[in-house]
Amino acid sequence: MHFFAFILFIVLTLEANDTAHSFVKSKECQSCHTEIYEEFTSSMHFKSTPQKDPIHKAVWDKHPQNKKLDRYGCGKCHTPAANDLDDMVTKGKHSFPDMQNETHQEGISCAYCHRIQSVKLNKKSNINIISKENKKYFSASKEGKISPFHTIDTKNEIMQNGTLCIGCHSHKMNKHKLNVCSTDLPGTQDRESCVSCHMPKKDGHTFHGFAGSHSNSEMLKEYVDISLTKNKDDFSVSIKNHSSHALLLHPLRVAVLKVSITHNGKVQKMKNEIFVRVIGHNGKPAMPWKASVTLKDTMIKANEKRIVEYNVGLTKGDKVDVVLGWFLVNPKAVKKLGLQNEEVATKFIEFKKESFTLS
Ligand code: HEC
Ligand code: HEC
Ligand code: HEC
Ligand code: HEC
Ligand code: HEC
């Protein structure tokens, strides 16, 4: 190989990931960290592979890398514990997630996450640098705890400040230089981090079910406030998003605000309000790899207070019911993705409900 080409090759490989490592299986942590293991297996980190996540599979099935049987570039974030991760993410190596290969089905495993030593910031998407020590796990606790199975390193800054998540979650730039999925990072003035909101303390330990849009969303309710303001001839509903990022992040999602009024026992439904970020190309919605622009973005942004007005006067005794929730997959894309029979993709998830009675 030409010397320059060789250097370029190394750089390109490093761009994609910092090489494959071997990891202790999550199952091996179960006997000693039973509760954490149970929670973890209910999370999307455990189910991040095409075989375990039908929504991921549906999109992957349509992806050009799959159609050309070329590679599984998604592996960098969706199957990072794969024993052949390098091949998975390298053009022309034809390695795909396999049900028979246990390392492929580990998802974002216990040991993977606890071995992230640092995160290298990168344009397309960031890169996790993994510690070479197979049985040394990073933790944020301060006491000198001892385990018979592994060593514990409490001096890792990204574990301390809760920013280890941004290796996979901060952004994903496609080849048209569109940021497909972007999570604003918590400002330094913020007390909250990804970890304090998504992994709150529960029964004395750090919750590992990763509260999010698929499951355990009730644990995040406190970060969104809904209020009602009555004016003379109309009223408005306000949604204050206290999180450091837009209410929903993946471009497949659609949030919906449903409002109804009960007046003298009669229910009147208001028109649903939709919050969505639509990406596309040539003026039409498109898949993440084809999209070149954001066509529309009404998603509630980080720390935003969104006010929705309703042209209806309210009187004493009226009751206003408000529901904020979402579809994980935009109903307009369900059929195209062949997901019409998957409940997870078609059901409406109720996030927060509020009732106001006018006095
Ligand atoms: C043989 C039992 C055993 C096994 C197996 C085990 N651990 Fe531990 N681990 C412990 C003990 C004991 C501690 C220290 C006391 C505590 O936190 O309960 C500990 C602590 C930790 C800590 C730090 C906790 C803190 O509060 O600072 C992390 C992180 C951790 N383990 C991760 C793992 C991971 C990941 C695996 C699987 C790859 C694993 N452990 C497997 C026994 C075990
Ligand atoms: C840079 C890391 C990264 C890469 C590379 C990546 N993803 Fe993801 N993906 C994520 C993260 C983080 C989420 C969770 C985002 C959220 O819930 O908002 C996610 C979520 C998804 C979802 C939503 C799944 C669900 O159950 O709702 C789909 C679909 C998806 N990814 C498809 C893909 C495909 C297909 C590829 C490869 C072509 C890919 N991703 C590559 C990080 C990545
Ligand atoms: C190795 C990459 C990686 C790292 C590191 C990572 N995640 Fe994820 N995360 C993902 C992927 C991929 C998904 C989407 C899986 C899917 O839906 O198929 C996801 C999904 C999620 C979700 C959505 C859950 C749901 O119910 O929809 C939350 C919340 C989340 N991650 C939080 C975190 C937090 C907090 C951290 C840091 C402690 C973190 N992640 C670290 C890759 C990662
Ligand atoms: C102040 C609390 C807070 C902080 C800080 C926070 N989040 Fe969230 N996050 C939320 C809320 C609220 C939601 C929406 C409710 C839900 O998805 O259940 C959410 C949703 C998500 C989702 C699901 C989005 C989707 O489209 O499916 C992911 C993934 C996520 N957050 C990751 C992160 C990461 C990574 C960080 C750190 C960079 C972070 N969050 C910081 C509160 C927070
Ligand atoms: C997406 C990344 C991620 C994954 C996956 C993950 N952890 Fe953690 N873990 C963390 C973070 C972040 C903390 C919180 C650090 C802190 O505040 O101590 C933590 C805390 C812990 C602790 C300290 C316990 C406590 O009570 O606070 C233990 C033990 C632990 N994890 C074990 C595990 C085991 C076992 C698994 C798999 C079943 C696992 N982790 C999967 C990121 C992860």
Side-chain angles (χ1 to χ4, degrees):
M1 200 189 290
H2 188 272
F3 179 69
F4 182 71
F6 178 68
I7 296 280
L8 192 69
F9 174 75
I10 291 191
V11 171
L12 283 177
T13 316
L14 284 175
E15 288 273 310
N17 87 86
D18 96 314
T19 159
H21 301 265
S22 71
F23 297 93
V24 174
K25 292 195 179 67
S26 298
K27 189 99 184 109
E28 286 195 46
C29 322
Q30 184 181 17
S31 56
C32 303
H33 301 290
T34 315
E35 265 183 306
I36 288 180
Y37 180 82
E38 295 283 305
E39 290 165 356
F40 169 72
T41 52
S42 76
S43 78
M44 289 315 292
H45 285 152
F46 178 71
K47 302 180 209 162
S48 60
T49 72
Q51 285 85 357
K52 294 183 185 168
D53 176 357
I55 301 179
H56 177 57
K57 179 178 187 299
V59 176
W60 167 238
D61 281 349
K62 295 238 176 278
H63 199 280
Q65 284 175 13
N66 190 358
K67 297 227 146 162
K68 287 186 224 147
L69 293 176
D70 179 43
R71 67 184 182 284
Y72 180 65
C74 328
K76 180 187 181 214
C77 305
H78 284 263
T79 60
N83 59 350
D84 58 346
L85 185 61
D86 282 347
D87 284 351
M88 272 191 174
V89 300
T90 306
K91 212 174 168 154
K93 291 277 189 178
H94 320 295
S95 172
F96 298 99
D98 179 356
M99 201 55 200
Q100 307 312 318
N101 182 328
E102 276 186 311
T103 68
H104 288 185
Q105 298 304 328
E106 282 277 292
I108 295 113
S109 73
C110 308
Y112 180 88
C113 216
H114 281 280
R115 278 174 62 190
I116 303 175
Q117 187 169 304
S118 58
V119 174
K120 193 168 155 253
L121 302 181
N122 189 48
K123 221 172 178 174
K124 270 180 86 176
S125 67
N126 291 338
I127 296 162
N128 293 323
I129 306 297
I130 301 300
S131 140
K132 301 227 162 1
E133 288 169 72
N134 197 19
K135 283 194 176 176
K136 180 182 86 176
Y137 302 131
F138 298 114
S139 148
S141 69
K142 287 177 184 69
E143 311 107 277
K145 289 185 182 166
I146 294 174
S147 156
F149 185 70
H150 54 78
T151 53
I152 301 168
D153 183 334
T154 57
K155 290 187 191 64
N156 186 339
E157 197 190 329
I158 59 167
M159 204 27 123
Q160 295 285 350
N161 62 22
T163 56
L164 76 156
C165 321
I166 67 166
C168 303
H169 279 272
S170 90
H171 62 283
K172 187 167 172 272
M173 199 79 85
N174 72 8
K175 67 173 185 223
H176 310 291
K177 298 203 168 66
L178 175 72
N179 195 349
V180 174
C181 213
S182 159
T183 312
D184 305 87
L185 305 179
T188 42
Q189 77 280 14
D190 278 338
R191 195 175 40 85
E192 312 284 2
S193 73
C194 315
V195 174
S196 62
C197 287
H198 289 280
M199 303 179 74
K201 292 278 184 252
K202 190 181 167 243
D203 307 330
H205 68 276
T206 307
F207 180 66
H208 274 66
F210 298 91
S213 56
H214 285 73
S215 55
N216 302 304
S217 63
E218 67 283 354
M219 296 176 95
L220 293 164
K221 266 190 204 165
E222 63 182 285
Y223 300 109
V224 177
D225 289 329
I226 299 178
S227 57
L228 181 109
T229 309
K230 177 189 173 303
N231 301 313
K232 200 162 157 280
D233 303 314
D234 53 27
F235 73 96
S236 62
V237 173
S238 311
I239 303 167
K240 169 71 191 178
N241 174 19
H242 293 279
S243 58
S244 54
H245 54 70
L247 183 66
L248 295 173
L249 301 162
H250 199 278
L252 274 177
R253 319 278 191 237
V254 176
V256 185
L257 178 70
K258 300 181 175 182
V259 173
S260 62
I261 307 167
T262 310
H263 177 76
N264 286 342
K266 255 183 68 191
V267 181
Q268 184 187 0
K269 275 175 81 178
M270 302 287 109
K271 190 171 168 277
N272 287 345
E273 187 75 17
I274 309 286
F275 311 107
V276 67
R277 173 174 177 249
V278 182
I279 54 173
H281 186 64
N282 285 340
K284 279 197 284 195
M287 285 293 181
W289 52 92
K290 282 204 186 128
S292 54
V293 286
T294 298
L295 295 174
K296 172 177 162 185
D297 189 358
T298 56
M299 190 51 79
I300 303 169
K301 307 291 178 318
N303 291 306
E304 183 188 342
K305 182 173 181 177
R306 182 69 59 91
I307 299 169
V308 183
E309 297 187 4
Y310 296 88
N311 256 327
V312 176
L314 297 173
T315 51
K316 207 173 150 181
D318 285 355
K319 186 164 148 273
V320 181
D321 290 300
V322 179
V323 176
L324 176 65
W326 52 75
F327 294 100
L328 288 171
V329 177
N330 190 330
K332 289 183 181 154
V334 163
K335 245 189 147 166
K336 202 172 162 198
L337 287 167
L339 284 165
Q340 59 275 20
N341 297 325
E342 290 288 350
E343 205 200 336
V344 65
T346 54
K347 73 174 174 201
F348 179 70
I349 298 175
E350 260 185 30
F351 172 57
K352 192 156 180 160
K353 253 179 158 164
E354 214 74 72
S355 279
F356 306 90
T357 303
L358 279 285
S359 55

